[in-house]
Amino acid sequence: MNKVKRLTKGDKVAIVSLSLGILGEAFASHELVLGEKRLKEFGLEPVYMENSKKGIEFLKNHPQARASDLKQAFADNSIKAIFCAIGGNDTYKTVPYLMQDEEFVSLVKNNPKIFMGFSDTTTNHLMFYKLGLCTFYGPTFLVDFAELDSNMLTYTKNAIDYLFNPKNNYEITSSEVWYNEREDYSAKAVGTPRICNKEMRGYDLIKGRGKVQGELLGGCIDSFGLLLGLRESDDTNEKEAKEIAEQYKLLPTAEEFANKIMFFETSNSKISPNFLQTILEELKSKNIFKNLAGVIIGKPHDETYYNEYRKVIENVFADFDYPILYNLNFGHSAPRTIIPYGALAEIDADNCKFKIISSTIK
């Protein structure tokens, strides 16, 4: 796996819209201003790729334009990192334009740089994992840097420091608070705080004992379901997604997951416990869970189905003895940390701790 260079102040960061094209809509203009302001507070200079602000309808109908932006971000040597604007549900449509482009593949392998996003971006992460690039499952431009409160969420803001100052033996602790999703993202909500809740559970050990180590691999379980050809709602084309996933071998095999620490989380779609079980059982049938080192699972969005999801996980993983740690702050939980693909990590089940043993950033 190719490691990437750390960020430094003054670096240019590409903003790409690989899924939903909200960044270019007038109703999100105040969020664009906030996101740009926050990036500059980190000493970073945002660069909006050519098609990133062309809006929902254009980007929905032109996945090749989304793919082109990603390629150009890798080709531009002045750009040191690539941040996704937001997630969505059809970034898989970009994959053929990228994986069939020998120049893009060569750029990724020979010009590695930080790539970060979560949710539907899981598909992009899995593509990059196949190409040998260490990427980062973490904050996005609109969701995190453009937080409508007077500041970014503190836990999330602190997590960004990892991209500037990577550390080995870096413990990722549980946030002391969690936040509900906003009901209003309009300009009128700028400067208003989210509903804040005290974290009562901390890291929640579902099963296992002792310490285990393994490299990190995973993503949003909804995206895994889509790539498996499963769906719960009518807003996805699961058949097309499965065909693309199979053609480009996007889903890691049981052998690739062996001795890994798998991470997964559920999206803001708040899939039903039954559908979560369907996805997990399908992965189990492919022996994905058979030889894992351990599993970490994100806090459900708004804590919806917290106990129901926990029960599903208990049942599906009943045959395995490795540690399973639940309620971590990544993915669709707010606040969120960064999970680095390919990094060696450790679960300490006896003390409910999780840490990154070795960084994927130079």
Side-chain angles (χ1 to χ4, degrees), residues 46-66:
V47 178
Y48 302 101
M49 302 312 292
E50 180 181 358
N51 299 292
S52 63
K53 295 192 288 185
K54 289 189 176 178
I56 293 172
E57 197 62 25
F58 176 86
L59 291 177
K60 177 183 178 181
N61 294 320
H62 296 85
Q64 69 273 29
R66 297 181 250 160

Side-chain angles (χ1 to χ4, degrees), residues 33 35 60 87 93 207 290 300 328:
V33 171
K60 177 183 178 181
K93 292 182 178 179
K207 65 185 304 180
K290 185 176 181 181
L328 279 73

Side-chain angles (χ1 to χ4, degrees), residues 7 13 15 31 34 52 123 129 141-142 174 186 231 235 248 257 262 274 281 293 295 304 320 334:
L7 289 176
V13 175
I15 308 300
E31 295 178 88
L34 279 172
S52 63
T123 298
Y129 191 84
F141 181 77
L142 283 174
S174 176
S186 71
R231 73 167 179 177
D235 63 348
Y248 299 100
F257 265 113
M262 184 179 188
N274 286 340
E281 291 286 5
V295 181
T304 303
F320 309 109

Side-chain angles (χ1 to χ4, degrees), residues 14 16 18 49 51 63-77 79 82 94 97-108 111 113 115 127-128:
V16 294
L18 300 180
M49 302 312 292
N51 299 292
Q64 69 273 29
R66 297 181 250 160
S68 175
D69 280 356
L70 187 59
K71 178 180 178 179
Q72 292 307 312
F74 272 95
D76 187 339
N77 288 327
I79 289 173
I82 304 164
T94 66
Y97 298 101
L98 297 166
M99 292 298 282
Q100 292 181 23
D101 187 332
E102 293 182 3
E103 185 179 7
F104 171 76
V105 171
S106 177
L107 284 167
V108 172
N111 193 23
K113 56 186 68 178
F115 174 85
M127 177 191 71
F128 284 126

Side-chain angles (χ1 to χ4, degrees), residues 118 179 265-266 298-301 328-337:
F118 71 100
Y179 301 88
E265 52 97 20
T266 50
K299 173 187 279 295
H301 189 74
L328 279 73
N329 306 104
F330 67 87
H332 289 81
S333 83
R336 61 186 55 84
T337 190

Side-chain angles (χ1 to χ4, degrees), residues 320-351:
F320 309 109
D321 295 327
Y322 43 71
I324 300 178
L325 199 58
Y326 183 34
N327 202 41
L328 279 73
N329 306 104
F330 67 87
H332 289 81
S333 83
R336 61 186 55 84
T337 190
I338 294 172
I339 301 294
Y341 280 82
L344 182 65
E346 178 183 273
I347 301 172
D348 180 350
D350 296 339
N351 296 292

Side-chain angles (χ1 to χ4, degrees), residues 29-179:
S29 60
H30 57 289
E31 295 178 88
L32 189 148
V33 171
L34 279 172
E36 187 170 310
K37 174 178 178 288
R38 304 274 173 62
L39 276 177
K40 289 181 176 180
E41 288 172 355
F42 278 102
L44 301 173
E45 186 64 33
V47 178
Y48 302 101
M49 302 312 292
E50 180 181 358
N51 299 292
S52 63
K53 295 192 288 185
K54 289 189 176 178
I56 293 172
E57 197 62 25
F58 176 86
L59 291 177
K60 177 183 178 181
N61 294 320
H62 296 85
Q64 69 273 29
R66 297 181 250 160
S68 175
D69 280 356
L70 187 59
K71 178 180 178 179
Q72 292 307 312
F74 272 95
D76 187 339
N77 288 327
S78 72
I79 289 173
K80 305 304 180 185
I82 304 164
F83 291 171
C84 292
I86 199 168
N89 62 14
D90 71 346
T91 195
Y92 66 83
K93 292 182 178 179
T94 66
V95 172
Y97 298 101
L98 297 166
M99 292 298 282
Q100 292 181 23
D101 187 332
E102 293 182 3
E103 185 179 7
F104 171 76
V105 171
S106 177
L107 284 167
V108 172
K109 293 182 176 181
N110 298 310
N111 193 23
K113 56 186 68 178
I114 290 169
F115 174 85
M116 187 168 69
F118 71 100
S119 192
D120 184 45
T121 307
T122 294
T123 298
N124 305 113
H125 286 297
L126 295 178
M127 177 191 71
F128 284 126
Y129 191 84
K130 183 175 178 61
L131 295 177
L133 178 67
C134 293
T135 58
F136 302 86
Y137 196 77
T140 62
F141 181 77
L142 283 174
V143 180
D144 298 285
F145 291 94
E147 164 59 42
L148 298 185
D149 203 346
S150 55
N151 291 293
M152 287 179 65
L153 302 183
T154 302
Y155 183 92
T156 303
K157 185 176 182 180
N158 290 342
I160 300 298
D161 184 65
Y162 179 76
L163 302 179
F164 291 86
N165 300 294
K167 300 175 284 289
N168 295 328
N169 295 309
Y170 163 53
E171 183 177 354
I172 299 179
T173 58
S174 176
S175 173
E176 294 180 354
V177 298
W178 63 274
Y179 301 88

